Amino acid sequence: MGVFQRFLFTVLLIVGVVNSERSDMRFLLDNATEGHSEEYCAMYDICGARSDGKVLNCPLGTPSIKPDELLSAKIQSLCPTITGNICCTEAQFNTLRTQVQQAIPFLVGCPACLRNFLNLFCELTCSPNQSQFINVTSIAKVGNNLTVNGIDYYITDTFGEGMFESCKEVKFGTMNTRAIEFIGAGAKNFREWYAFIGRRAGLGVPGSPYAINFLPVAPESTGMKPMNVSIYSCGDTSLGCSCGDCPLSGACSSSALPSPPEKGSCSVRIGSLNAKCVEVAVAIIYIVLISVFLGWGFFHRKRKSSPVSRTKPLINVPNGGIIRRTNSQKDENIPMQMLEDVPQITNGVQLSIVQGYMSKFYRRYGTWVARNPILVLCSSVIIVLVLCLGLIRFQVETKPEKLWVGPGSRAAKEKQFFDNHLAPFYRIEQLIIATIPETVNGKAPSIVTDSNINLLFDIQKKVDAIRANYSGSMVSLTDICMKPLGKDCATQTVLQYFKMDPQNYDTFGGIDHVAYCFQHYTSADTCASAFKAPLDPSTALGGFSGNNYSEASSFIVTYPVNNEIDSEGNGTKRAEAWEKAFIQLAKEELLPLVQSKNLTLAFSSESSVEEELKRESTADAITILISYLVMFAYISLTLGDAPRFSSYYISSKVLLGLSGVLLVMLSVLGSVGFFSAIGVKSTLIIMEVIPFLVLAVGVDNMCILVHAVKRQQVELPIEGRISNALVEVGPSITLASLAEVLAFAVGSFIPMPACRVFSMFAALAVLLDFLLQVTAFVALIVFDFLRAEDNRVDCFPCIKVSGSNAELEKGSNQQKPGLLARYMKEIHAPILNIWGVKLLVICAFGAFTLASIALCSRIEPGLEQQIVLPRDSYLQGYFNNVTEYLRIGPPLYFVVKNYNYSSESRHTNQLCSISKCDSNSLLNEIARASLVPESSYIAKPAASWLDDYLVWLSPEAFGCCRKFTNGSYCPPDDQPPCCPVGGGNCGLSSVCEDCTTCFRHSELQNDRPSTTQFRDKLPWFLSALPSADCAKGGNGAYTSSVELKGYENEIIKASAFRTYHTPLNKQADFVNSMRAARDFSSKMSHALKIDVFPYAVFYMFFEQYLNIWTTALVNLAIAIGAVFIVCLVITCSFWTSAIILLVLTMIVVDLLGVMAILNIQLNALSVVNLVMSVGIAVEFCVHITHAFLVTSGDRNQRMKEALTTMGASVFSGITLTKLVGVLVLCFSRTEVFVVYYFKMYLALVLLGFLHGLVFLPVILSMFGPPSRCVLIEKQEDRPSTSSQF
């Protein structure tokens, strides 16, 4: 940040130069016939001074004079166009030289511009032909002397246009802006620049002490001729400027401007409809596929009218029976009555090798559990409780950077490098005060009023009074704020135009002074901030267009706070303590105060997001609890028999359901305990979502197990029923659970810590839940059925009801199918068996899947901050205001590693952007990229410490790098000790009169310092305070931009060049800006062979989105592939596994389509949900497919039987269980639960239900695998031992 107390710049110098050495020859030019001729002066000498000290020239003409050799040499060193006689005294020339030194540092990087600029004032001050283009038009009396009060300066438009063109793009890096903003008030053409220079300044205000009227044509009657000295183009080879200062230079023609961004993707217009190419392609593919499918369907249907008989092979079995494969389509189905009439033929299942082992295991295991339920229950619970002991090391991670950024990520490494080698990015505390839009036109009125600025002073007074208690010491803003020059806080507010002092408000001129500073914030001494730097209005105002700052509808007050990093973190903790007090003040005092003035207030601190995330953990506790209770109530009803008042207190399963829920909780606690024991921190989302997730997954298996036991014959002993039930559903439960565990575990490959930890916890929790279900829960089923058979009351098993349970047993033995089972058998399955319905289902589901593929391109990466926070968070309004009002983007640093500054290295010219730098240098390319902000997202040229250092060293900038005769650093003339500390006339001090520039031109090598010179003077530059006499001092602006540690070895390990991103309003803007900056840095690193990387404080949180699609697709592919392999291993059927793979893929693709429709963004949360959806969707497929596989008959009959057997369980135990739990989440106070858990899980449940109970049965009935069911023809002389099947 440059500090420019009083930027009078060269206009001042003009003012005080004119002639008069021979008072006896004075006469008014207007009365002299020979006044406007060659070798004649229009003004000469100094005849007075204004009350503010600005000198005034004498309005009398005199012939030009011949200077002595010393004065002539001095003049030609600054004004080479003036030779021979002159029209200025030595005092006038010294005044000229003193004043132009303020402008030189801004322009010395572009010699052509500097030369033209100096010529303008050299000709005005000392030209021997001054009277030919200067005409005094107004005089005033000062004391007893007449002085010039106004002049006409005749100058050709050619010169004016040339001067402006050579200077308009010259950059002033310290402020990331153009020099014309400082020395021309942002003039858009040379006439505006002339108007700014020629305006007569008021007392104490920078500018000319008399009016200068620039005119292009002189009246013919006067004989005058416009001034027209040679003009230098910025592309001139002898005075060439850099490409950044002169983009149109011939040397820069080879560097083409970055191409503008491509507007949208490929699209096709069909009438009034504008469709994307991918959408058109998908539509064409769908039409082709459906045409082929329908053609095959009708052909196949017609061919089926001519059945072909097939033979059934016989297979000998070890026990003497014969197995008949029932895998043909027509006559393979032997009616069940035939099996009843022929007792020698029984029905069995030929399992795969793995399923065979699993069936044998479950048969033996079921018998053993039924006989030893207490042992199984106690041992399994004890093991899990041991895992729960790890909870004593339980910790929760709440720091956002540790939740969302992997330690090995590029962004994390770059942040660590930046923090360690340069300085941590400052903490930001911010207030946004805005006016309320009018109801008539909806336009917000201007906030720049007297009353609002006084309100701002009142707010600032309260903020300054904050005292936060940290470890017994009181912390104020001044203790922690960022102080560029070590004294005043760098608070960004319009109050800086009054030096943060309310007493200056009326003294400086009130609201008029504010309006003045909006236009002269870089040049007016009274507009300089309390921390000595210009305050750009765009950083303190919002809601304006262009440069119309007075129309701003909001004040933006920013408090930069030091982000200290030490081993104890005490600096940050002090800041956090102050931030809590700041937020409390904003809520309790500032908000009511601002609202009473009919304004709005939004506020935030650096720690606000973290604190609000902590609050979020309790915000939805009741919602989550209600969700669990609803699911528990539903489980209890589902597990029990059909309600009959007379026996419901016995047949209900409330205690069993509660026990199952407790087992789910134990599995979650065991998972958290295990990972806590090994040092893995938990997250808030784990504690809120995983129990619900595991409960939703675990309930399915509980329902399936209980229903399977109920289906067994009551006359069988409990061992037989448990054994048969486990044989029946054990393989499918195992298959589904293993697939879920693998699918969840895949999420551990996601580099984001929060998602990786979440996936690890979930995978282990689901695994433990499965193990507890087949151990402890099976034991509990044994106890519950024994309780019911013993007529003991549910929930109160100690109470036994007198009477016989024969009626209950009879009812159970002759139990009619439930309502859902009858629906599936009598309505659902027959409808799906209709050929036309099958074709319609295939076409409809295929259409939605292909449409979802097309819609995927509309899913945007990102995670809106408002969604993550509670709906009632004060940050909701803050983020909305940031988007609406801010007109400048986040700071962007281009960090250079290992810069070799030695004279043998080319790095200096490859980086800098002043004269003689490479046209394709880093800073020139940054400047070029800022010309196309739509694609580069770079708003301004970079502030370059290197450019400013080279200018600071330059002999032309004679007020900057100076030394005393003893070789020590000599500051500029307007700084102590050259200038008295108490004020006064700095020019009278003799302390620095012997100071000389650090180097002469002859001591430099092609205008570049040698290695030793660079090394020795760099610390001087970084400690030099900027001021009016030398605005290039690096103290404050570049203190943290260069790492001096180890720089003596000719290598600067780290240095940064600061610019800004364009305003970033959407998540896509943040992602695209980061991608553009990285692409730019990569290109520059490759071209220059220098290690360059971009850094912005938000990169860490958005890096995940650069490759989020790749991450999502890879993890989904692994998850679905894992499920496929598990299915293939267990079933040994590629056909079966392929169908499950197809349905899972369709569910995931359709879920992506729903995300696009609901505008759900792609981020780590949605990726985890998508991966988990694979595991959850498995349950909708596996059980139906397994039932189809082990059922006899043709495909239609097997589909009907599968729906009858498992359809009701899938609907009631899987679909409705998840549905009732998910529906409660819609009442969540946090949008992230509503969007990423309610909406996505609801969509998943509905899609899983439709695919599992509609699409999958149709696919199985048309393309299902052969039946594993076999017919066993027993020998009469051998007993059957079909149990092995």
Side-chain angles (χ1 to χ4, degrees), residues 686-978:
I686 287 176
M687 305 315 299
E688 295 177 341
V689 178
I690 285 187
F692 164 78
L693 169 69
V694 178
L695 187 61
V697 171
V699 165
D700 312 338
N701 293 342
M702 292 193 296
C703 291
I704 290 170
L705 281 169
V706 173
H707 291 166
V709 176
K710 285 182 182 180
R711 286 197 293 269
Q712 307 306 314
Q713 295 295 321
V714 176
E715 62 267 15
L716 290 174
I718 189 66
E719 294 92 338
R721 279 179 281 169
I722 296 295
S723 176
N724 288 344
L726 284 177
V727 170
E728 179 183 337
V729 300
S732 62
I733 286 179
T734 304
L735 174 59
S737 298
L738 288 179
E740 288 165 355
V741 171
L742 282 176
F744 296 160
V746 165
S748 62
F749 291 100
I750 296 177
M752 185 179 300
C755 299
R756 183 175 66 251
V757 171
F758 177 86
S759 300
M760 291 161 51
F761 277 64
L764 182 57
V766 171
L767 178 61
L768 290 176
D769 187 48
F770 163 69
L771 295 176
L772 285 175
Q773 284 167 350
V774 296
T775 54
F777 189 71
V778 172
L780 290 171
I781 292 176
V782 173
F783 285 126
D784 189 76
F785 274 79
L786 291 175
R787 172 199 61 77
E789 292 172 2
D790 201 25
N791 284 345
R792 295 183 180 274
V793 178
D794 190 21
C795 296
F796 302 97
C798 295
I799 301 176
K800 184 175 181 180
V801 179
S802 60
S804 172
N805 62 357
E807 181 181 351
L808 180 62
E809 291 182 2
K810 181 180 177 182
S812 299
N813 192 24
Q814 301 175 353
Q815 184 178 7
K816 294 182 179 179
L819 181 63
L820 277 176
R822 291 202 303 273
Y823 164 78
M824 290 290 173
K825 182 176 182 180
E826 299 170 8
I827 299 176
H828 193 76
I831 290 177
L832 293 182
N833 267 328
I834 300 173
W835 186 253
V837 173
K838 292 181 180 181
L839 297 181
L840 181 62
V841 167
I842 298 292
C843 292
F845 279 80
F848 190 75
T849 299
L850 289 175
S852 297
I853 293 175
L855 288 170
C856 284
S857 62
R858 299 180 183 270
I859 300 176
E860 291 188 355
L863 176 62
E864 296 293 346
Q865 292 166 307
Q866 293 93 322
I867 289 180
V868 182
L869 300 166
R871 290 175 178 173
D872 60 349
S873 172
Y874 63 88
L875 289 177
Q876 297 283 1
Y878 170 75
F879 287 125
N880 292 334
N881 282 11
V882 166
T883 301
E884 181 177 358
Y885 295 119
L886 257 63
R887 294 296 184 265
I888 192 167
L892 166 64
Y893 297 87
F894 286 98
V895 182
V896 176
K897 300 168 71 172
N898 299 321
Y899 159 43
N900 186 343
Y901 62 80
S902 68
S903 53
E904 293 78 16
S905 170
R906 293 196 63 254
H907 281 190
T908 297
N909 287 339
Q910 288 180 311
L911 295 176
C912 66
S913 63
I914 60 173
S915 177
K916 300 185 179 179
C917 296
D918 292 353
S919 62
N920 64 339
S921 69
L922 173 64
L923 290 163
N924 278 331
E925 290 297 328
I926 294 174
R928 190 174 291 110
S930 69
L931 300 177
V932 282
E934 303 84 6
S935 59
S936 68
Y937 293 90
I938 297 175
K940 300 179 178 182
S944 169
W945 70 267
L946 181 58
D947 284 354
D948 284 356
Y949 178 46
L950 295 177
V951 169
W952 184 84
L953 285 173
S954 173
E956 278 91 353
F958 45 78
C960 291
C961 185
R962 307 196 307 169
K963 60 185 178 181
F964 287 110
T965 53
N966 62 4
S968 61
Y969 173 64
C970 176
D973 283 332
D974 58 353
Q975 295 182 23
C978 303

Side-chain angles (χ1 to χ4, degrees), residues 984-1007:
N985 192 335
C986 297
L988 298 178
S989 173
S990 61
V991 177
C992 302
E993 63 181 1
D994 293 330
C995 289
T996 58
T997 58
C998 292
F999 307 109
R1000 294 189 296 271
H1001 275 293
S1002 59
E1003 296 175 326
L1004 299 178
Q1005 304 171 8
N1006 197 23
D1007 288 341

Side-chain angles (χ1 to χ4, degrees), residues 231-545:
I231 193 74
Y232 296 94
S233 167
C234 63
D236 189 293
T237 54
S238 61
L239 294 171
C241 304
S242 70
C243 293
D245 292 336
C246 185
L248 301 180
S249 169
C252 307
S253 59
S254 59
S255 301
L257 288 176
S259 58
E262 297 181 6
K263 295 185 177 180
S265 57
C266 171
S267 61
V268 176
R269 177 169 291 279
I270 306 173
S272 59
L273 179 65
N274 192 24
K276 292 185 176 181
C277 292
V278 65
E279 295 167 351
V280 175
V282 166
I284 294 173
I285 292 172
Y286 175 72
I287 293 172
V288 172
L289 292 178
I290 288 302
S291 300
V292 173
F293 174 71
L294 292 178
W296 171 86
F298 288 119
F299 173 76
H300 180 73
R301 185 69 175 168
K302 183 177 180 181
R303 204 181 75 165
K304 276 193 77 175
S305 59
S306 303
V308 180
S309 61
R310 301 178 185 178
T311 60
K312 301 181 283 293
L314 297 180
I315 301 178
N316 292 324
V317 293
N319 64 354
I322 297 176
I323 298 177
R324 293 181 183 270
R325 290 193 180 275
T326 60
N327 55 4
S328 60
Q329 290 297 315
K330 181 66 180 175
D331 54 348
E332 67 181 0
N333 182 37
I334 299 178
M336 294 303 296
Q337 57 265 36
M338 175 180 174
L339 297 178
E340 295 171 2
D341 296 339
V342 185
Q344 291 83 5
I345 299 178
T346 60
N347 206 2
V349 178
Q350 185 182 22
L351 301 174
S352 68
I353 297 176
V354 177
Q355 285 177 309
Y357 280 116
M358 290 175 65
S359 294
K360 290 179 183 179
F361 167 78
Y362 276 121
R363 184 171 297 282
R364 295 170 182 170
Y365 172 74
T367 303
W368 182 74
V369 171
R371 290 173 181 171
N372 304 280
I374 296 178
L375 175 62
V376 172
L377 179 62
C378 293
S379 59
S380 57
V381 171
I382 288 173
I383 291 173
V384 177
L385 288 176
V386 170
L387 292 178
C388 292
L389 292 177
L391 290 172
I392 60 177
R393 298 187 60 187
F394 175 75
Q395 288 182 303
V396 177
E397 184 62 78
T398 57
K399 292 188 177 296
E401 63 270 19
K402 293 187 178 180
L403 284 174
W404 308 111
V405 184
S409 74
R410 173 182 167 183
K413 292 178 180 177
E414 290 172 348
K415 179 184 184 300
Q416 185 179 19
F417 182 89
F418 189 90
D419 290 348
N420 293 339
H421 291 270
L422 298 173
F425 193 80
Y426 50 82
R427 304 172 70 88
I428 294 176
E429 334 297 341
Q430 203 163 56
L431 298 171
I432 301 178
I433 305 159
T435 55
I436 298 175
E438 298 174 351
T439 55
V440 180
N441 55 17
K443 183 180 179 181
S446 172
I447 198 167
V448 187
T449 64
D450 286 308
S451 60
N452 290 338
I453 292 180
N454 285 321
L455 171 65
L456 210 54
F457 274 117
D458 293 338
I459 292 173
Q460 185 60 44
K461 183 178 179 181
K462 292 179 179 293
V463 172
D464 288 336
I466 293 177
R467 296 294 183 271
N469 189 344
Y470 172 70
S471 298
S473 62
M474 306 309 291
V475 181
S476 66
L477 178 61
T478 55
D479 296 327
I480 59 175
C481 70
M482 187 175 73
K483 302 172 183 176
L485 299 181
K487 184 179 179 182
D488 294 284
C489 295
T491 303
Q492 304 291 299
T493 171
V494 294
L495 301 183
Q496 292 287 5
Y497 296 139
F498 303 99
K499 311 290 193 261
M500 301 296 289
D501 187 351
Q503 294 182 355
N504 289 337
Y505 185 68
D506 292 328
T507 306
F508 283 13
I511 199 71
D512 293 333
H513 177 69
V514 175
Y516 174 79
C517 289
F518 287 162
Q519 304 302 321
H520 304 90
Y521 66 94
T522 58
S523 56
D525 189 24
T526 54
C527 295
S529 66
F531 60 96
K532 305 295 188 291
L535 179 78
D536 190 337
S538 62
T539 64
L541 297 170
F544 57 87
S545 58

Side-chain angles (χ1 to χ4, degrees), residues 86 135 194 246 348 539 562 597 716 759 905 1020 1074 1078 1095:
I86 59 172
N135 185 38
Y194 281 169
C246 185
T539 64
N562 289 321
K597 305 294 184 181
L716 290 174
S759 300
S905 170
W1020 285 16
M1074 181 179 182
R1078 283 193 169 181
Y1095 172 75

Side-chain angles (χ1 to χ4, degrees), residues 922-1127:
L922 173 64
L923 290 163
N924 278 331
E925 290 297 328
I926 294 174
R928 190 174 291 110
S930 69
L931 300 177
V932 282
E934 303 84 6
S935 59
S936 68
Y937 293 90
I938 297 175
K940 300 179 178 182
S944 169
W945 70 267
L946 181 58
D947 284 354
D948 284 356
Y949 178 46
L950 295 177
V951 169
W952 184 84
L953 285 173
S954 173
E956 278 91 353
F958 45 78
C960 291
C961 185
R962 307 196 307 169
K963 60 185 178 181
F964 287 110
T965 53
N966 62 4
S968 61
Y969 173 64
C970 176
D973 283 332
D974 58 353
Q975 295 182 23
C978 303
C979 186
V981 179
N985 192 335
C986 297
L988 298 178
S989 173
S990 61
V991 177
C992 302
E993 63 181 1
D994 293 330
C995 289
T996 58
T997 58
C998 292
F999 307 109
R1000 294 189 296 271
H1001 275 293
S1002 59
E1003 296 175 326
L1004 299 178
Q1005 304 171 8
N1006 197 23
D1007 288 341
R1008 295 288 183 263
S1010 67
T1011 304
T1012 303
Q1013 292 167 342
F1014 193 106
R1015 179 175 57 242
D1016 293 345
K1017 298 303 181 286
L1018 182 58
W1020 285 16
F1021 167 72
L1022 295 177
S1023 61
L1025 292 172
S1027 63
D1029 280 358
C1030 181
K1032 293 290 186 176
N1035 193 340
Y1038 301 123
T1039 302
S1040 59
S1041 295
V1042 185
E1043 183 186 30
L1044 290 181
K1045 183 178 179 181
Y1047 89 107
E1048 301 88 353
N1049 300 322
E1050 303 180 6
I1051 299 292
I1052 295 176
K1053 295 180 180 178
S1055 63
F1057 302 97
R1058 184 193 69 246
T1059 180
Y1060 290 90
H1061 276 301
T1062 54
L1064 308 175
N1065 297 323
K1066 299 184 298 182
Q1067 293 283 291
D1069 293 338
F1070 286 92
V1071 178
N1072 292 335
S1073 66
M1074 181 179 182
R1075 179 180 289 111
R1078 283 193 169 181
D1079 290 345
F1080 174 84
S1081 296
S1082 176
K1083 181 187 72 173
M1084 295 309 302
S1085 296
H1086 179 75
L1088 304 178
K1089 301 297 186 284
I1090 300 175
D1091 194 355
V1092 181
F1093 70 85
Y1095 172 75
V1097 69
F1098 68 87
Y1099 281 2
M1100 235 185 14
F1101 304 105
F1102 285 86
E1103 184 183 38
Q1104 54 172 308
Y1105 304 122
L1106 295 180
N1107 300 303
I1108 192 71
W1109 270 111
T1110 303
T1111 301
L1113 295 178
V1114 168
N1115 281 279
L1116 285 173
I1118 295 175
I1120 295 175
V1123 173
F1124 175 77
I1125 292 173
V1126 171
C1127 294

